[in-house]
Amino acid sequence: MEIDVRGDIISNDDKWIYDWLEYESCCPADVKNVIAELTDENEELKVIINSPGGDVHAGQEIYSILKDVKNHVTIEVQSMA
């Protein structure tokens, strides 16, 4: 399973604006939704990051979500993180 963290890191409340404007973004709910699809604890979770940053609180929440995942997590930084 893969999670793409691209564009600005934003709060869940602002996600609809970025989607409406068709801007790349990632919020904690995006990460939670992908993790919810994991059915096997042996399945690897790959996080691909290319983000200039954004909301510190949302970034910390994403970090905390990923830290608590029981699956093996691999982080791949493509350009900026």
Side-chain angles (χ1 to χ4, degrees):
M1 182 77 55
E2 288 186 358
I3 298 174
D4 278 327
V5 178
R6 300 185 185 281
D8 293 337
I9 304 299
I10 59 172
S11 70
N12 294 329
D13 294 338
D14 292 339
K15 181 65 174 174
W16 72 272
I17 298 167
Y18 281 74
D19 288 346
W20 185 70
L21 293 171
E22 298 181 359
Y23 291 166
E24 283 189 317
S25 64
C26 184
C27 69
D30 293 337
V31 175
K32 282 183 182 179
N33 292 338
V34 173
I35 291 171
E37 295 177 17
L38 290 172
T39 56
D40 181 7
E41 284 192 18
N42 295 322
E43 186 175 3
E44 181 178 356
L45 179 62
K46 185 175 184 179
V47 182
I48 301 170
I49 303 173
N50 184 4
S51 171
D55 185 288
V56 173
H57 301 290
Q60 181 61 45
E61 185 176 350
I62 291 170
Y63 168 79
S64 296
I65 292 166
L66 291 171
K67 183 180 66 131
D68 292 337
V69 173
K70 303 288 186 234
N71 301 61
H72 177 75
V73 178
T74 301
I75 306 291
E76 179 183 310
V77 177
Q78 290 190 331
S79 179
M80 297 181 355

